[in-house]
Amino acid sequence: MIDSSAAQHHPISGCGIGLRAPHVHEIITTHPDIPWLEILADNYLAEGGLILEHIQEIAQRYPIAMHCVGLSIGSAEQPDLDYCKKLKQLAENINACWISDHLCFSSLGGHYSHDLLPFPLNRQTLALCVQRIDQIQQLLGQPILLENISSYMHYAASSMSEIEFICALTDLTDCQLLVDANNLYVNHVNKGLDIDEFITHLPHHRVKEIHLAGFQPMVNFLLDAHNQPVADPVWELYARLLNYCPDTPTLIEWDNDIPTLDVLLAEAKKADSISQHPISDDIETVATASA
Amino acid sequence: MTLKQLQQHLLEQTLGNTLALEFIEQLRPCGELAPKQQILIYQQNAFAARQTVLLSTYAVCVQILGERYFKHICKAYIYATPSTHIDLNLYGETFPDYLAEQLLRQEALKDFPYLPDLALLEWHFHRLFFVANVPEFDFAAFAHIETGNQHHLQFHLAESCFFMPSDFPVLSLWRSHKAANPTSTMPAGDEYYCIYRQQGDMLIDDISSDLFTLLQGITQGWTLGTMCQHNLDSLLPQLIEKGWVSRFSIAHV
C-alpha cells in the first residue's frame, strides 16, 4: 500500500475546465483566467510532437491534473506497464497535480473500447481492483484518484452497492476519489442509485476532485454525453456534495459538441459561485426531489 | 463464466454489432433498460467515438463523398476494425486500404479513383502531428567523416516525414477543399508528395520524381556512393535542410 501522506500536495482550488483541442490555441495566446486545467492524458502520451509542445507550454502557466481512461483498473488482465510508465513521465514533465482514472475496465487483449465499461461489483472484483491499484500506485509513485462512472448495465454477479465497493476499495488501497456529480445523477435516474446513501457514506476526506458535466435525455434513460451544460438537478447535487466536501477542486467536463471557451468559463464561474455560497443539507434532497 | 470471459464478451459486443445470448444471460434489468438495450448503449457509444475520429481525420474525403455517404462507407470498417491503440486519435490507419478495396466493390465509388490516395495523404498529415520531434542533423560529426568512409555513408529519414506517389493530383484537391474552394477537375498525372512537420508547422510539398527516387533509395539503404551512381547526390542537402533526413551512419562493407 502506498502512503498517501507522502504525496506531493499542489495548491489548486476553484473550478477548472477540461482542456480540449478547439481551445488550445486560444488558451496559449490569450491566457484566460482559469484556476486549473485537466487533460485527457491518453491523448498526450506520444514521445513528442506538437501536442506535447502545446501542453508543456500551457503547463508553464496553469496547474494541470491528468485524467485517464486507460488504466483499466477492473480488467481481468495485468495493468499495462508501458502505459503506466508513460503516464508517470508525462506527470513529471508537466508537474501534474494528480492522476485520476475510473472504476471500470476499458481494454482487454489489445483492444480498446474508448469507453468506460462496468464490471460486476463483488468480493472477487474488489480483490482484483485492490491488487491492480496497489500495483499502479507503486508504479506511479503516488495515490491515484478513482472516479465513479455512469453505468447502463446491471450484472447478475454484482453483490455490492457502488458505495460499499468504493468504501472498501479506498480503505484497502488508500486511493483517493474523484466524484462525478453528473454520473451520480445519471445512475440515480437510470439505475435507481440511492444518492443519499452514496453521499453520506462517501469517505469525504478522500474526495479530492468533483466533476460536473451535462447529460443527454434519451427515450428511457439519461446518456452521460458531456455535450450540454450542467443540468439543474446536477447543480443541486453539487451544492449538496460541497456540504460534505467543501472547497473541493471542481471541473467542468465538455467533450462533445464543444462550445466556445467563454461558455465553459461561464459554467466554471457558476460552480465557483455555488462553492462560495453553500446550501444547508437539511433541504429536501435531490434524490427525493427527482423521484 | 469467468471475469475474463465476461469482459471479453462485453468488449467484443461493444466493438461489434452482435449480441451474444450467453452474455445477455449475465445481465438483469437496469431501471427501464432491458439487458439487450444495456449492451446496445455501449455499442452505440463505441461506434460513435470511432466514427467521430474518422470524420475528423478524413475531413476532405467526407467533403467529397458527403457526410451521409461517408458514414455509410465507414460503418462496416468500424465494425470490422477494433481500436488497437490506447489513443483514439490514432484510430483509422488502415482506412485508406479499406477504401481501395471498396473502390473495386462499390459501383457508387467508381468516380472517385483517387480516394485511397487522398485518404493516405490525410492520414499521414494527421498522424505526423503526434510524432516525436526530430533531433537536429549532427553537422559537426558529419564534418569529421573520414574521406575513405564517405562513399559508405547511409542516411536515415526522419519519423516526422512521409513521402508518397499518386496518379492523381490529390494535393491540389486537398488544398482546394481545405481552402473551401473545392475543385472538380482531376487530370491524371504522376505526382509525388512529402508530408512533414517543420518547426511546429504541418506541411506538404509537391516534390520532383528525382527527389522521390532519392527518398525511396534512402529507405532502401542506398549509400552516398549509390546516390552518386544515380546522379542524385546533389539533392541530398535539400533533404537535410528540410529536416527529412535526420541522421547518418556508416554502412558495414
Side-chain angles (χ1 to χ4, degrees):
Chain A
M1 183 182 289
I2 194 153
D3 176 12
S4 64
S5 64
Q8 189 180 357
H9 292 284
H10 293 264
I12 63 168
S13 61
C15 187
I17 61 168
L19 179 67
R20 299 296 178 258
H23 305 138
V24 167
H25 179 71
E26 187 175 352
I27 288 173
I28 287 176
T29 52
T30 67
H31 315 306
D33 183 18
I34 309 170
W36 61 285
L37 295 161
E38 185 169 88
I39 59 166
L40 182 55
D42 304 60
N43 294 343
Y44 293 87
L45 298 181
E47 288 173 8
L50 291 184
I51 198 163
L52 209 57
E53 285 178 20
H54 291 160
I55 196 60
Q56 282 167 340
E57 190 173 346
I58 289 172
Q60 288 173 9
R61 190 173 286 268
Y62 298 95
I64 293 185
M66 282 169 50
H67 194 45
C68 320
V69 294
L71 284 173
S72 209
I73 301 286
S75 169
E77 286 182 337
Q78 288 293 320
D80 181 342
L81 302 185
D82 185 49
Y83 176 71
C84 291
K85 277 181 200 163
K86 286 179 177 172
L87 284 181
K88 188 176 183 184
Q89 183 65 55
L90 178 63
E92 286 169 6
N93 285 349
I94 62 172
N95 194 25
C97 308
W98 53 64
I99 302 171
S100 60
D101 204 316
H102 305 80
L103 191 55
C104 71
F105 82 101
S106 54
S107 62
L108 198 75
H111 288 169
Y112 297 86
S113 67
H114 302 294
D115 199 358
L116 311 171
L117 304 179
F119 53 84
L121 302 180
N122 55 40
R123 292 286 157 197
Q124 181 203 359
T125 54
L126 176 64
L128 180 135
C129 287
V130 168
Q131 190 189 24
R132 298 279 181 273
I133 292 171
D134 276 346
Q135 200 177 351
I136 288 166
Q137 292 188 145
Q138 287 294 343
L139 285 166
L140 296 177
Q142 60 182 293
I144 56 170
L145 276 61
L146 268 190
E147 179 183 343
N148 57 304
I149 61 166
S150 348
S151 161
Y152 312 94
M153 199 161 262
H154 182 191
Y155 287 105
S158 281
S159 58
M160 298 172 78
S161 72
E162 191 175 354
I163 191 63
E164 281 175 329
F165 195 92
I166 287 172
C167 288
L169 195 59
T170 52
D171 277 350
L172 292 166
T173 63
D174 214 18
C175 73
Q176 312 290 355
L177 290 173
L178 189 174
V179 176
D180 188 311
N182 186 57
N183 291 350
L184 275 184
Y185 183 72
V186 163
N187 285 349
H188 164 64
V189 173
N190 292 346
K191 305 178 74 171
L193 176 134
D194 186 334
I195 291 181
D196 277 343
E197 184 200 13
F198 193 100
I199 293 183
T200 52
H201 287 85
L202 198 63
H204 305 117
H205 63 291
R206 295 191 187 276
V207 179
K208 301 300 176 195
E209 183 180 347
I210 297 174
H211 272 184
L212 294 169
F215 59 76
Q216 185 172 341
M218 307 300 276
V219 175
N220 60 345
F221 70 100
L222 300 182
L223 183 67
D224 177 30
H226 292 197
N227 64 347
Q228 322 229 357
V230 178
D232 286 344
V234 177
W235 284 122
E236 291 166 24
L237 177 49
Y238 172 58
R240 186 145 185 262
L241 263 172
L242 289 174
N243 281 322
Y244 294 90
C245 319
D247 303 322
T248 304
T250 300
L251 186 96
I252 302 294
E253 270 192 314
W254 201 317
D255 297 298
N256 297 299
D257 305 326
I258 297 172
T260 54
L261 188 59
D262 58 320
V263 173
L264 286 189
L265 296 180
E267 290 277 276
K269 201 170 176 183
K270 185 172 178 180
D272 278 335
S273 170
I274 291 171
S275 175
Q276 286 154 18
H277 303 95
I279 57 165
S280 165
D281 193 39
D282 57 11
I283 63 164
E284 192 175 21
T285 65
V286 173
T288 310
S290 60
Chain B
M1 188 180 282
T2 65
L3 181 66
K4 189 167 185 176
Q5 288 168 332
L6 190 81
Q7 293 185 342
Q8 270 168 343
H9 269 295
L10 177 55
L11 194 59
E12 277 169 21
Q13 287 170 89
T14 296
L15 296 176
N17 59 349
T18 56
L19 296 174
L21 184 62
E22 211 179 345
F23 182 74
I24 292 172
E25 286 171 349
Q26 305 296 319
L27 302 177
R28 296 290 175 267
C30 177
E32 291 185 31
L33 302 173
K36 281 184 184 174
Q37 197 188 358
Q38 296 172 31
I39 302 168
L40 286 173
I41 291 171
Y42 287 100
Q43 277 185 356
Q44 285 158 5
N45 282 351
F47 180 87
R50 284 174 288 169
Q51 187 183 66
T52 300
V53 170
L54 293 181
L55 285 165
S56 162
T57 304
Y58 298 102
V60 175
C61 290
V62 175
Q63 278 186 37
I64 287 168
L65 291 176
E67 187 170 322
R68 193 172 165 188
Y69 190 63
F70 181 88
K71 284 180 173 176
H72 168 74
I73 288 281
C74 70
K75 193 172 180 178
Y77 174 81
I78 292 171
Y79 285 135
T81 316
S83 173
T84 55
H85 200 288
I86 203 156
D87 185 353
L88 183 59
N89 284 317
L90 298 179
Y91 179 73
E93 179 179 11
T94 55
F95 191 64
D97 297 334
Y98 172 78
L99 281 178
E101 286 170 23
Q102 296 308 305
L103 272 183
L104 304 173
R105 292 178 187 170
Q106 300 211 25
E107 183 67 17
L109 286 174
K110 72 175 173 51
D111 292 335
F112 306 99
Y114 52 86
L115 217 50
D117 283 357
L118 177 63
L120 190 67
L121 182 136
E122 288 204 278
W123 167 255
H124 287 286
F125 190 80
H126 169 78
R127 178 185 68 85
L128 294 177
F129 185 84
F130 301 96
V131 166
N133 297 332
V134 181
E136 289 197 7
F137 190 83
D138 189 348
F139 287 101
F142 189 64
H144 287 93
I145 300 290
E146 291 175 15
T147 312
N149 279 331
Q150 285 180 355
H151 264 56
H152 305 301
L153 272 173
Q154 282 182 317
F155 296 87
H156 304 275
L157 293 186
E159 285 182 14
S160 56
C161 90
F162 176 81
F163 61 96
M164 60 176 278
S166 179
D167 292 336
F168 308 95
V170 290
L171 178 57
S172 305
L173 187 71
W174 181 81
R175 282 183 174 145
S176 69
H177 277 265
K178 284 284 182 189
N181 183 23
T183 176
S184 55
T185 54
M186 283 297 295
D190 293 338
E191 302 264 331
Y192 305 98
Y193 311 124
C194 188
I195 308 158
Y196 62 108
R197 213 177 68 219
Q198 192 179 58
Q199 292 175 343
D201 292 320
M202 291 298 308
L203 302 164
I204 307 180
D205 281 5
D206 218 332
I207 60 174
S208 67
S209 61
D210 280 350
L211 210 49
F212 179 78
T213 304
L214 178 59
L215 287 165
Q216 265 192 319
I218 289 173
T219 59
Q220 289 162 11
W222 279 11
T223 60
L224 185 57
T226 320
M227 291 177 202
C228 292
Q229 285 168 17
H230 287 83
N231 288 324
L232 293 174
D233 53 305
S234 62
L235 298 176
L236 194 58
Q238 258 189 69
L239 303 190
I240 297 172
E241 189 188 344
K242 290 272 190 185
W244 298 351
V245 162
S246 59
R247 60 191 178 87
F248 62 89
S249 59
I250 297 172
H252 295 293
V253 184

